Amino acid sequence: MRKKVLLFAANFICLGGLFAQNSRVVEPFNSGWQFTKDTVNGRWEPVTLPHTYNATDMQLDKDFYTGDGFYKTDFSVTKAMEGKRLYLRFGGVGQVATVYVNGKFLTQHKGGYAAFSFEITNVVKQGTANQILIKTNNKAVPDIIPVNHFLFPIYGGIYRPAALIVTSPVNIAVTDYASPGVQIIQKQVDAESAEVEVKVKLENRRICHQQLTVKTAIADAHGKIVSETQKDITVSPQGVTYVDENITLQNPHLWNGVKDPYLYQLTVSLWQGDKEIDKVAQPLGLKKIELVAGKGVFLNGEKYNMYGVTRHQDRWQYGNALSPEQEKEDMLLIKEMGATTIRLAHYQQSEHIYSLADSLGFLIWAEIPFVNKVTLQESENAKQQMIELVRQNRNHPSIYIWGMHNEVYTKTKDDFVPVLTRQLNDIAKTNDPYRPTVSVNGYGTMERGENLAGDVQGMNRYYGWYEGGIKDLDPWATELQAKYPDYKVMLTEYGADGNIDQSSEFLPETKSIDPVNGQFSPENYQTETHIQQWAIIQKHPYLLASYLWNMFEFSTPYWNRGGLKARNLKGLVTFDRKRKKDAFYWYKANWNPEPMIYIANRRDSVRTQAQTTVQVFANVKPMLKINGKPIKGHTGVNSCHWLFDVKLKKGKNKIEAFSQNKKMQHHDAIVWILK
């Protein structure tokens, strides 16, 4: 393997000028790695990060690999790095990372979804070869959340990008739970002014006090500085030094969700005389979010449509080792459907995803993987992951709420889960006092001990799938509002499996579908579930937000349901992101204002009944033709749902839908065959 040189010697001539102005350099650390599962008898193979050693096996069945995976790389540090501080930062390693430098243990990180960073300044040698060896392990264990592979797999490997960070000896902290070392707090924001508090954590590794100037600047979307402050400080060589700065912007341009996700950039820089010695930039989206019980979510004083989806991060044949382009594709598919808010389930997701949400305007629910099962041994790790989630991501304007757990239960109000949830709530509030917290249960009731530690109660309700009938969502929401009118409640999961390659001319009865062991999950049942339940949700503003489960199919290695092993089929887009199900277009018609027409049940193309009904999803008034003959229609559950009673002829039948507005022509067509 070709040896890696940290900050290549050939670049030091030009980098010297860079250091004179800004000594912080962040350099990708993703190439030149080697991987093996067996350091004794195995063969090392070259890999590039991100990489997972479960890219396919966890997506096929329950016979998948869990255990160690080893990564190593050799590098040298040139003399030009003398006097600098060197760090490595990993965006995510599944799920235990044990780090050795030059054969000696350096650090360990437990948890597969948060970033972690560590300093290597004093353990590497200049002018000679150094080696970093990282042992990863993705085995589910009782003291690290998630504690099993049941709801989603714990992929192994260094599956998110890594970076080398080079700073001055006096710097903005890099190892504060891998946070940026800068916290932005929005205290009071409206159209007239915005009060912003900036907290900075500094470290000094020189032998004496350092006299510095901290400059804080806010630039608008065009790069123009609109506010700048500076403060002279003394940084002690012992411990850490904290600096606070308060800034007021007049007539700010507000971050207004998907309508106008306007971003400023806030930069904190350290100066010693006229020399800039460190700098960190963070996104700044100025906004005010209010959650009002029984009424909804308000963004900058106006009610915000919380059109919600959930997202798992894995993808067919890639596992969770995704490229930035693949992550962007996910977010653009969500945008195309018209969603305005995303629950990123059930774990911290990549920094790139949060940044995309900032720029696209999604409101984000971010949570930790305290999910599905309790072992009574995960307390410390859950607290650690909550600290990491909040500190690493609290500056993202898109994040509006912190999730503490999902479907973990207790017997009394004072045992393990409610006590730990109260502690997680305290951690979130201590590290970010201005955002609400939420916990989630799957029982649909408020009288549970683990429910009320957070500011919001989320409830997962799978009526028509795991219990009851599709329309039972309506009386549940009605009763909940009557009993608890002052509570903040969200519908946090709903939906049904839909195998896009299984179809049925007739809507199956609930009793004919076994959601746990059955192999028949036709797409049209999923479609009907979402048609009916979205119409119900529209009638209940008491539910502050709703999140359909799930935007994308994802791996569930222990499942064998719906005709596909190891797959949760509730996604509205297939696992490979290549096909969109009918329910995708149902929500697009309801949520995306761009005019559209879509004929549903297109894959139920072989028919046995001449008299049948065609469903059209449209946000413009449609007309229908069958074999060239116009057919009158009527609305169904809402104004985007159109029904046309038709009579098919033997053989091929061409069905066409058009908009009635001649100035805006929209068209869709399918073929049904009557046997």
Side-chain angles (χ1 to χ4, degrees):
M1 179 184 70
R2 185 164 60 91
K3 186 167 62 178
K4 188 182 300 178
V5 180
L6 296 189
L7 294 186
F8 304 100
N11 290 339
F12 276 121
I13 294 175
C14 55
L15 284 174
L18 177 62
F19 288 136
Q21 298 178 29
N22 175 19
S23 69
R24 178 168 296 213
V25 173
V26 180
E27 185 173 272
F29 201 73
N30 300 318
S31 61
W33 289 86
Q34 291 184 301
F35 168 77
T36 188
K37 292 178 182 175
D38 183 353
T39 58
V40 177
N41 300 309
R43 188 180 72 176
W44 291 90
E45 60 178 286
V47 297
T48 298
L49 307 183
H51 175 266
T52 176
Y53 47 87
N54 298 116
T56 56
D57 63 347
M58 281 188 158
Q59 302 177 345
L60 298 175
D61 56 42
K62 60 184 179 181
D63 185 21
F64 55 86
Y65 177 78
T66 60
D68 293 337
F70 298 87
Y71 296 81
K72 70 178 181 179
T73 187
D74 294 330
F75 63 95
S76 63
V77 179
T78 69
K79 197 166 180 63
M81 287 291 92
E82 189 173 0
K84 302 294 182 182
R85 298 183 72 180
L86 307 179
Y87 305 86
L88 288 176
R89 189 178 192 275
F90 290 84
V93 176
Q95 79 167 342
V96 177
T98 307
V99 181
Y100 301 85
V101 178
N102 295 328
K104 295 181 179 179
F105 170 78
L106 181 61
T107 189
Q108 185 178 74
H109 182 263
K110 296 181 178 181
Y113 302 99
F116 63 98
S117 59
F118 51 92
E119 189 166 3
I120 61 172
T121 307
N122 303 300
V123 294
V124 296
K125 301 174 182 178
Q126 291 184 355
T128 187
N130 294 273
Q131 184 184 85
I132 288 183
L133 173 70
I134 300 181
K135 182 177 77 170
T136 70
N137 189 290
N138 68 326
K139 183 180 179 180
V141 292
D143 61 338
I144 303 175
I145 57 173
V147 298
N148 60 33
H149 295 271
F150 184 72
L151 286 185
F152 53 91
I154 306 167
Y155 291 92
I158 308 177
Y159 73 93
R160 289 184 186 149
L164 167 74
I165 302 173
V166 184
T167 75
S168 164
V170 186
N171 63 355
I172 299 168
V174 177
T175 56
D176 179 25
Y177 290 93
S179 77
V182 173
Q183 180 184 5
I184 302 171
I185 299 172
Q186 300 184 37
K187 288 187 171 180
Q188 179 64 39
V189 177
D190 56 35
E192 296 181 354
S193 66
E195 296 179 13
V196 178
E197 181 180 2
V198 182
K199 294 179 177 289
V200 187
K201 185 175 182 179
L202 304 178
E203 293 181 343
N204 175 12
R205 290 299 176 263
R206 296 195 185 278
I207 62 172
C208 57
H209 287 74
Q210 298 293 301
Q211 305 300 319
L212 302 178
T213 300
V214 178
K215 295 183 180 180
T216 305
I218 296 176
D220 65 16
H222 302 290
K224 180 183 177 182
I225 301 297
V226 295
S227 177
E228 190 170 20
T229 64
Q230 65 179 51
K231 178 180 290 187
D232 294 331
I233 61 167
T234 300
V235 184
S236 171
Q238 295 177 297
V240 296
T241 300
Y242 292 91
V243 180
D244 288 0
E245 189 66 272
N246 291 284
I247 301 171
T248 300
L249 286 182
Q250 301 299 327
N251 303 312
H253 190 152
L254 300 182
W255 188 91
N256 200 29
V258 294
K259 295 179 181 178
D260 184 15
Y262 188 88
L263 290 174
Y264 294 90
Q265 185 179 73
L266 186 145
T267 303
V268 176
S269 55
L270 302 185
W271 292 76
Q272 197 156 37
D274 60 356
K275 180 181 179 181
E276 181 183 282
I277 63 171
D278 200 10
K279 181 167 70 174
V280 168
Q282 291 289 284
L284 174 63
L286 297 168
K287 68 190 185 305
K288 180 180 181 181
I289 295 181
E290 300 169 282
L291 278 60
V292 182
K295 294 183 178 180
V297 175
F298 291 78
L299 177 60
N300 302 324
E302 296 184 2
K303 188 171 181 180
Y304 192 70
N305 292 323
M306 296 291 282
Y307 299 153
V309 303
T310 49
R311 176 191 184 257
H312 270 293
Q313 66 182 357
D314 60 343
R315 183 182 287 226
W316 175 243
Q317 295 185 326
Y318 289 90
N320 57 359
L322 303 185
S323 68
E325 292 76 20
Q326 289 172 317
E327 292 182 324
K328 185 175 182 180
E329 181 185 17
D330 277 9
M331 299 298 267
L332 291 179
L333 283 166
I334 293 170
K335 180 181 180 181
E336 178 191 343
M337 199 170 79
T340 60
T341 180
I342 310 172
R343 180 185 178 197
L344 294 174
H346 287 298
Y347 39 78
Q348 182 172 333
Q349 300 199 10
S350 76
E351 292 177 343
H352 186 234
I353 284 290
Y354 296 119
S355 295
L356 287 168
D358 295 341
S359 60
L360 292 171
F362 296 121
L363 287 184
I364 294 296
W365 167 327
E367 64 186 56
I368 61 171
F370 186 23
V371 58
N372 179 240
K373 184 181 178 181
V374 177
T375 66
L376 307 182
Q377 299 178 49
E378 63 272 268
S379 178
E380 291 308 309
N381 186 254
K383 295 175 191 177
Q384 170 200 313
Q385 291 200 44
M386 180 59 75
I387 295 172
E388 291 171 328
L389 173 71
V390 177
R391 289 203 190 182
Q392 290 173 21
N393 299 291
R394 59 193 173 187
N395 292 341
H396 286 287
S398 55
I399 296 176
Y400 82 102
I401 199 166
W402 302 115
M404 300 181 292
H405 67 66
N406 179 83
E407 295 184 357
V408 288
Y409 301 113
T410 186
K411 292 183 178 179
T412 72
K413 294 182 179 181
D414 295 311
D415 65 16
F416 182 82
V417 175
V419 170
L420 176 54
T421 306
R422 291 196 289 268
Q423 294 169 337
L424 294 173
N425 184 71
D426 184 62
I427 288 170
K429 292 295 187 180
T430 300
N431 287 276
D432 182 18
Y434 296 93
R435 282 186 180 91
T437 55
V438 59
S439 58
V440 175
N441 81 75
Y443 288 100
T445 61
M446 200 71 73
E447 303 90 354
R448 300 193 61 87
E450 68 277 349
N451 279 10
L452 302 177
D455 301 305
V456 177
Q457 178 56 50
M459 298 186 183
N460 300 337
R461 311 305 302 134
Y462 286 99
Y463 289 115
W465 194 248
Y466 295 125
E467 63 176 311
I470 291 173
K471 295 182 180 181
D472 289 344
L473 183 67
D474 192 7
W476 166 78
T478 300
E479 182 180 5
L480 202 64
Q481 181 174 3
K483 286 185 176 181
Y484 306 100
D486 298 326
Y487 284 61
K488 298 173 184 177
V489 180
M490 295 182 182
L491 176 61
T492 45
E493 294 179 26
Y494 68 99
D497 282 46
N499 187 331
I500 199 170
D501 295 315
Q502 291 182 348
S503 60
S504 174
E505 180 181 1
F506 307 102
L507 185 68
E509 295 286 339
T510 305
K511 62 184 179 182
S512 68
I513 294 179
D514 181 350
V516 176
N517 299 305
Q519 296 302 314
F520 185 53
S521 297
E523 181 189 1
N524 69 322
Y525 188 85
Q526 179 194 57
T527 306
E528 186 67 19
T529 299
H530 284 289
I531 290 171
Q532 297 293 335
Q533 294 191 345
W534 173 247
I536 292 169
I537 292 166
Q538 285 182 303
K539 299 190 314 184
H540 289 281
Y542 171 74
L543 301 172
L544 301 189
S546 61
Y547 293 90
L548 66 87
W549 190 267
N550 195 284
M551 184 67 194
F552 306 104
E553 294 177 350
F554 59 94
S555 176
T556 47
Y558 285 108
W559 291 22
N560 182 11
R561 308 176 182 181
L564 274 176
K565 290 183 179 180
R567 188 76 56 85
N568 188 309
L569 293 166
K570 294 183 181 67
L572 305 192
V573 178
T574 56
F575 200 10
D576 59 9
R577 280 37 172 197
K578 292 182 178 180
R579 295 186 290 172
K580 303 166 186 173
K581 302 178 187 179
D582 282 354
F584 176 97
Y585 293 98
W586 166 244
Y587 285 105
K588 185 175 180 179
N590 281 271
W591 294 353
N592 189 334
E594 181 181 344
M596 64 154 284
I597 288 177
Y598 178 83
I599 303 172
N601 305 105
R602 59 214 302 118
R603 283 168 286 276
D604 303 334
S605 57
V606 178
R607 318 293 288 191
T608 62
Q609 301 293 314
Q611 293 290 147
T612 189
T613 300
V614 175
Q615 293 190 99
V616 175
F617 306 151
N619 52 21
V620 295
K621 191 174 183 181
M623 59 183 292
L624 192 81
K625 289 183 180 180
I626 181 165
N627 300 319
K629 180 182 177 181
I631 303 293
K632 290 185 178 181
H634 59 89
T635 56
V637 298
N638 66 15
S639 62
C640 295
H641 186 218
W642 287 82
L643 303 175
F644 297 86
D645 297 323
V646 304
K647 184 175 183 179
L648 305 177
K649 68 177 185 179
K650 286 287 186 180
K652 290 185 178 180
N653 292 264
K654 185 176 182 180
I655 302 171
E656 298 175 277
F658 306 84
S659 63
Q660 295 188 14
N661 187 338
K662 294 182 179 180
K663 294 182 180 179
M664 294 192 306
Q665 283 295 317
H666 302 281
H667 172 263
D668 192 21
I670 65 171
V671 173
W672 279 355
I673 298 173
L674 178 63
K675 290 292 187 179

